[in-house]
Amino acid sequence: MTSMLLTSVVEWSRWQFALTAIFHWFFVPLTLGITFMLAIMETIYVKTGDEFWKKTAKFWMKVFGINFAIGVATGIILEFEFGTNWSNYSYFVGDIFGAPLAIEGILAFFMESTFIAIMFFGWNKLSKKTHLTATWLTAVGANISALWILVANGWMQYPAGMEFNPDTMRNEMVNFWEVLFSPVAINKFFHTVTSGYVLAAIVVMGISAWFMLKKRNIVFAKKSILIAAVFGIFGSAALIWTGDGSAYQVAQKQPMKLAAMEGLYEGKDKAGLIAVGVLTPGKEYDDSKDPYIFKIEIPRLLSFLSNRNFDSYVPGINDLVNGYEYVDKDGNKQAGLSFAEKRDRGRIANQALIDYKAAKDRGDNSSQAEALKLIDENFKYFGYAHLENPSSIIPNVPLTFYSFHVMVILGCYFVLLFIVVLWLLYKDKLHNKRWLLWLMVFTIPLVYLASQAGWIVAEVGRQPWVIQDLMPTVSAVSRIDAGAVQTTFILFFSLFTVLLIAELGIMFRQIKKGPEGVE
Amino acid sequence: MNTTKKVFQFYYTGFKNMTVGKTLWAIILIKLFIMFAILKPLFFPNLLSKNFDTAEQKSNYVFEQLTTTPKQ
């Protein structure tokens, strides 16, 4: 009964967090990319003195301003939730999570109250170069602000630079640089911000295409599309590069997530990457059904992406549950622990923690030292003590698989779109291709879908872990009433829906007005 | 004019001359009011700070929670 109630709180708290994060992420990525594009436009204005670029930059600044104003502070609700719904987690992570969030909050505050204000209010009051500097600093500041929250998220996926203190029950940061420069955090940061660049490029192209369809502001639209498509091409190149880096890190640090992303149940050497596939519904890890109804596979690519070696072994879901052995590139035998072995070690750490506290209470230093040794040796698997069934370490495979493939397929489509648009711009034929202009408009929701799908891969794919291997979701959640979480879920849903409608309403009105004084 | 006055004037005239910005500021202020005056105090207390006074009490509570979590 207790377990069922807890499951309900866990599920509702997860839904609530997902809802808040998804809504927050509707607003953030555009900010990351569009600021750089309007900084580029303003730079052209400062270099050439051509008023056209000033007016163009001002129009896109308005789009940025609307998006920023509606989205600002929506992320704060996530921090409210940490203290209420995820109090065990918040306490357990200690200052590791708090420090980056505090830096982000302070940085965001100073950035928003200075550079953005200068950017909006400073036209004709400051020198061109000072204003341009503020615009560039807004772009850089928005991206650096995102760094800190992504570092915190990266730490949850790969907890580095910390030590567990059994006296305080908190993880303590012992190396700030290991936390900041963890390969997972760095790849996550660059992959996330570059996804924002591609999203912003698609949005600018889509809105500009609408002007071309309406046969107004044609010069403005064409030049905006040119800037966006070039920015989008470079953004996509960086996105693919960092995506490869992220996939490699997932393979090394979160192999279960990678297996779910690919629907890979049985590990193999020379593993292929599923380019397109349909999973067998109802497939369980311990049945003999074929995982795929249909698939198109690129031979050996998954092995290469995972280990930088086309012949290497990639473990599947069943291997990660049951344990596995393989021969590495140097011919050495390697083994991966099974769920049961990790659970046993987690239970040793858990019991040692209980023993440590009891020994401390009765002043038994020797038993305390023995328990501490066991904790140190097995803490790596501490979270497994809270899991009973092998299936509990497997994330939602269909959701992770399809989200990953939607993200990748759409990413490839965006690259193709940028290339085609640039080619037609070069040939001066874009304005005649109305179907393509409409396609550009309807690609706007697709880029948001791809962006959200990326986060679903990252967050659903790492389940059941809140902190990889150390804390499962079930242990992180507060023991609160599920009804209260349902109430706030509905409240947030209403609030965010109103905000989204408000943004779209104001945005559409401003877009319809168009840029002032340009063709 | 001293620097403080100049900065004040910069922001004052900036806000005064806003058009669509005024609506946006209204949305921001309403949103912040809902978040900090309604949601935070009524629905989002910091659970550990609300229920416990000392770090030791919080630590003991989290210890109990993490060592006795029902298995999933």
Side-chain angles (χ1 to χ4, degrees):
Chain A
M1 185 66 185
T2 313
S3 180
M4 276 175 66
L5 287 173
L6 185 62
T7 305
S8 178
V9 178
V10 171
E11 291 306 314
W12 274 104
S13 295
R14 282 187 63 201
W15 271 108
Q16 188 191 60
F17 200 88
L19 173 85
T20 324
I22 284 171
F23 268 102
H24 180 55
W25 192 248
F26 271 126
F27 303 109
V28 178
L30 182 64
T31 307
L32 298 174
I34 201 169
T35 43
F36 275 118
M37 273 187 279
L38 57 91
I40 291 167
M41 291 167 185
E42 191 180 335
T43 304
I44 301 173
Y45 161 63
V46 172
K47 289 271 180 201
T48 63
D50 185 348
E51 284 288 314
F52 167 86
W53 285 107
K54 180 182 176 182
K55 287 168 183 167
T56 301
K58 275 181 125 174
F59 173 79
W60 293 114
M61 210 172 271
K62 204 179 272 183
V63 172
F64 158 73
I66 294 165
N67 182 73
F68 179 82
I70 307 281
V72 72
T74 49
I76 289 173
I77 293 177
L78 294 168
E79 295 183 32
F80 292 172
E81 289 169 22
F82 286 131
T84 305
N85 301 54
W86 307 99
S87 59
N88 292 343
Y89 161 80
S90 297
Y91 192 82
F92 188 66
V93 295
D95 59 349
I96 299 171
F97 204 75
L101 288 192
I103 296 171
E104 192 230 347
I106 293 165
L107 195 79
F109 173 77
F110 282 109
M111 187 201 80
E112 283 151 23
S113 59
T114 49
F115 302 134
I116 291 182
I118 292 171
M119 192 172 82
F120 277 101
F121 302 155
W123 293 108
N124 307 323
K125 289 180 186 163
L126 302 165
S127 73
K128 282 181 184 176
K129 282 188 179 169
T130 308
H131 190 276
L132 180 63
T133 306
T135 307
W136 275 105
L137 286 174
T138 299
V140 173
N143 281 261
I144 290 177
S145 180
L147 169 71
W148 300 104
I149 187 71
L150 294 168
V151 163
N153 184 279
W155 183 84
M156 293 161 79
Q157 318 265 351
Y158 173 56
M162 61 81 171
E163 269 176 16
F164 175 64
N165 182 341
D167 292 317
T168 59
M169 284 301 292
R170 306 191 91 168
N171 288 289
E172 292 169 355
M173 195 187 305
V174 291
N175 190 330
F176 173 75
W177 303 110
E178 270 186 34
V179 176
L180 179 59
F181 293 117
S182 113
V184 173
I186 292 299
N187 275 288
K188 179 171 278 291
F189 168 67
F190 283 109
H191 192 56
T192 307
V193 297
T194 50
S195 78
Y197 303 164
V198 172
L199 181 140
I202 295 284
V203 170
V204 169
M205 275 180 22
I207 293 172
S208 305
W210 180 82
F211 282 109
M212 291 181 83
L213 284 164
K214 294 286 164 190
K215 299 188 189 306
R216 50 178 284 208
N217 307 95
I218 299 292
V219 179
F220 156 83
K222 275 187 181 175
K223 291 195 174 177
S224 294
I225 289 173
L226 177 65
I227 297 274
V230 172
F231 186 72
I233 284 278
F234 282 108
S236 295
L239 187 63
I240 292 165
W241 183 47
T242 55
D244 170 65
S246 293
Y248 177 74
Q249 292 304 328
V250 168
Q252 302 302 313
K253 314 287 189 320
Q254 298 171 297
M256 181 61 88
K257 186 196 278 187
L258 185 85
M261 283 158 67
E262 280 294 294
L264 182 72
Y265 281 83
E266 300 295 340
K268 52 182 138 175
D269 295 318
K270 303 171 184 172
L273 184 82
I274 305 296
V276 184
V278 178
L279 296 177
T280 304
K283 162 78 183 157
E284 296 289 340
Y285 81 96
D286 51 359
D287 66 25
S288 56
K289 288 181 192 167
D290 186 334
Y292 312 99
I293 293 174
F294 158 80
K295 65 174 177 179
I296 297 173
E297 191 174 304
I298 305 170
R300 297 188 181 198
L301 191 56
L302 186 61
S303 283
F304 179 77
L305 292 177
S306 302
N307 302 307
R308 303 299 186 234
N309 180 339
F310 285 107
D311 298 330
S312 67
Y313 182 81
V314 181
I317 291 169
N318 291 352
D319 306 289
L320 294 160
V321 169
N322 301 321
Y324 58 100
E325 283 187 350
Y326 66 99
V327 178
D328 69 15
K329 62 178 178 182
D330 302 320
N332 302 317
K333 247 189 177 176
Q334 300 288 348
L337 295 185
S338 66
F339 165 75
E341 288 166 314
K342 289 179 181 175
R343 185 185 55 193
D344 290 345
R345 289 188 61 180
R347 285 176 179 174
I348 291 171
N350 196 61
Q351 186 55 50
L353 184 59
I354 294 169
D355 295 343
Y356 176 87
K357 189 163 167 52
K360 189 183 168 194
D361 289 345
R362 61 174 189 272
D364 181 349
N365 292 341
S366 135
S367 301
Q368 210 178 326
E370 266 177 45
L372 188 59
K373 188 167 173 281
L374 283 175
I375 294 172
D376 288 344
E377 285 169 359
N378 298 286
F379 187 70
K380 191 178 167 181
Y381 302 108
F382 181 68
Y384 285 87
H386 304 140
L387 303 173
E388 187 67 48
N389 303 314
S391 62
S392 59
I393 61 164
I394 305 170
N396 183 327
V397 176
L399 185 55
T400 312
F401 175 88
Y402 289 118
S403 300
F404 175 62
H405 286 83
V406 162
M407 176 186 76
V408 172
I409 291 166
L410 284 175
C412 296
Y413 158 65
F414 301 145
V415 173
L416 186 66
L417 186 67
F418 291 135
I419 293 169
V420 170
V421 165
L422 273 177
W423 174 252
L424 289 172
L425 264 183
Y426 173 69
K427 292 279 174 189
D428 199 22
K429 287 180 179 170
L430 184 63
H431 55 283
N432 296 328
K433 309 281 182 197
R434 290 185 67 81
W435 64 271
L436 184 62
L437 294 172
W438 277 117
L439 191 66
M440 287 159 73
V441 174
F442 288 115
T443 300
I444 294 176
L446 293 181
V447 78
Y448 279 93
L449 175 69
S451 189
Q452 297 286 359
W455 273 111
I456 291 171
V457 174
E459 299 305 298
V460 174
R462 70 158 143 144
Q463 290 301 316
W465 304 110
V466 171
I467 307 169
Q468 186 69 35
D469 295 344
L470 299 184
M471 180 177 251
T473 322
V474 69
S475 309
V477 78
S478 309
R479 308 296 182 263
I480 51 174
D481 179 23
V485 188
Q486 288 170 16
T487 307
T488 47
F489 177 89
I490 294 162
L491 271 173
F492 285 157
F493 188 77
S494 314
L495 175 68
F496 283 127
T497 306
V498 169
L499 281 175
L500 201 59
I501 292 169
E503 166 168 24
L504 293 176
I506 298 169
M507 188 82 89
F508 289 157
R509 265 204 303 281
Q510 290 305 314
I511 290 169
K512 274 182 189 167
K513 278 188 187 172
E516 288 167 15
V518 292
E519 283 179 35
Chain B
M1 208 188 307
N2 64 34
T3 313
T4 316
K5 208 170 173 185
K6 272 185 186 169
V7 171
F8 175 78
Q9 279 296 330
F10 178 81
Y11 278 85
Y12 179 74
T13 49
F15 282 116
K16 204 175 149 191
N17 296 331
M18 274 180 157
T19 49
V20 66
K22 279 179 186 155
T23 314
L24 295 175
W25 271 106
I27 290 173
I28 290 173
L29 293 175
I30 293 167
K31 183 171 58 178
L32 290 176
F33 176 78
I34 292 171
M35 282 181 190
F36 287 100
I38 300 172
L39 291 176
K40 176 68 180 157
L42 296 183
F43 297 101
F44 287 97
N46 186 310
L47 221 60
L48 293 181
S49 300
K50 185 184 149 198
N51 295 333
F52 305 105
D53 296 323
T54 65
E56 194 184 353
Q57 287 173 333
K58 290 178 187 174
S59 159
N60 286 338
Y61 173 77
V62 174
F63 169 80
E64 288 294 325
Q65 293 287 307
L66 295 190
T67 51
T68 59
T69 304
K71 307 284 186 289
Q72 196 176 49

